[in-house]
Amino acid sequence: MARTKQFDYNEVLERATEIFLEKGYDNTSFQDLVYHMGIHRRSIYDTYGDKKELYLKALEKYSNFINQNYFSLINDQMNVYQKFEVIFNYSAFPKENCPKGCLFVNSAIELALRDHEISTQVDLFFDNTKKFFVKLLAIAKEKKEIPQDKNIYDLASYLNNALIGIRVLVKCSPSDTELSNIIKTTLSVL
C-alpha cells in the first residue's frame, strides 16, 4: 500500500524557493534541498521531480507570489505614482522574513543563457510585469494622470527595466536612503 504524504506541498515548495533564492541554482546541492525542505530525497523526486523540475515549480510559485502581492498592494484610490511607488518599495525594501533580490533576476543572470526552458520562464515573467505596467499606465492615461503624449509601452519597458535594476541593487545592500532616492528619480518620469 502506498504511503500518504506527511507534508504540505506548497509549504515545502516555499522552502525550496527560499534556498534557491538564497544560494542560486548551481550552489544549491540536492543535500541542501533535503535539509532545507525537511523531506527525504525520494519524496522530493516523487513529488517535485528532479532538481530542475523542482526549480521550475519554484519559479512558478514565486511568480504567483509576486503577482498576488502586486495586486494586493495597490488599489483604485491610488494615483499612478503611488501605485508604482508601492511596487518599487515592495521590491527595494522586502519584509524582514523575505530574502532580498528576485528569483527571476537570479535565474536570468545564472541560467538563462544556458537553459532555454528557464530562459523562457524568465522572459514570460518580465513580459507579464511589463504588460501589468502597461495596464496601470493606460488607466492613468485615461484618468489624465500622465501626459497624453506619453508612450505607455515605452514607459512600461523603462519602468520594468528599472524595477529589475532595483532587484539587483538590493542584493548589494545599498542604504535605504540611496534606494529611496533611486526610486524617486525613476518615478519622476511619471
Side-chain angles (χ1 to χ4, degrees):
M1 181 193 296
R3 291 176 25 188
T4 59
K5 290 181 177 37
Q6 301 294 317
F7 57 88
D8 179 279
Y9 178 91
N10 286 316
E11 184 180 306
V12 172
L13 182 56
E14 177 65 31
R15 288 188 224 138
T17 305
E18 290 168 359
I19 193 73
F20 281 134
L21 186 53
E22 180 186 323
K23 295 182 79 169
Y25 181 83
D26 289 336
N27 288 331
T28 300
S29 69
F30 215 88
Q31 188 55 46
D32 290 333
L33 291 167
V34 168
Y35 177 76
H36 200 76
M37 293 170 74
I39 61 174
H40 297 287
R41 180 181 296 264
R42 183 81 252 150
S43 294
I44 294 172
Y45 280 114
D46 290 346
T47 307
Y48 305 98
D50 64 18
K51 183 179 173 182
K52 182 179 172 186
E53 290 171 305
L54 173 61
Y55 193 77
L56 288 167
K57 286 175 173 65
L59 283 173
E60 182 180 359
K61 181 169 182 52
Y62 187 82
S63 175
N64 292 335
F65 172 76
I66 295 296
N67 291 333
Q68 287 170 354
N69 281 339
Y70 284 169
F71 288 119
S72 70
L73 292 170
I74 62 173
N75 61 59
D76 292 336
Q77 285 69 46
M78 296 175 170
N79 66 33
V80 69
Y81 186 93
Q82 292 167 326
K83 289 175 183 176
F84 279 98
E85 185 177 43
V86 165
I87 290 168
F88 273 72
N89 282 332
Y90 171 77
S91 293
F93 308 109
K95 295 178 182 168
E96 226 175 271
N97 59 346
C98 293
K100 291 182 176 182
C102 172
L103 191 59
F104 281 95
V105 170
N106 296 354
S107 299
I109 294 166
E110 181 182 12
L111 302 167
L113 288 177
R114 68 176 200 243
D115 189 299
H116 178 71
E117 196 171 6
I118 290 173
S119 176
T120 300
Q121 293 305 311
V122 169
D123 288 343
L124 180 64
F125 177 79
F126 290 153
D127 192 50
N128 285 339
T129 302
K130 186 166 63 174
K131 286 176 183 173
F132 175 60
F133 287 1
V134 167
K135 287 179 186 177
L136 293 179
L137 293 166
I139 292 167
K141 201 169 191 178
E142 284 176 21
K143 292 181 175 181
K144 298 188 181 356
E145 293 176 351
I146 59 174
Q148 297 301 298
D149 64 342
K150 288 268 189 185
N151 181 317
I152 61 173
Y153 300 98
D154 291 345
L155 192 52
S157 292
Y158 169 77
L159 291 169
N160 188 38
N161 184 64
L163 185 62
I164 292 167
I166 290 286
R167 289 175 173 151
V168 172
L169 190 59
V170 75
K171 291 195 76 119
C172 302
S173 300
S175 71
D176 288 356
T177 302
E178 182 180 2
L179 286 171
S180 293
N181 288 337
I182 291 168
I183 291 169
K184 184 178 176 183
T185 302
T186 299
L187 298 184
S188 69
V189 300
L190 297 171

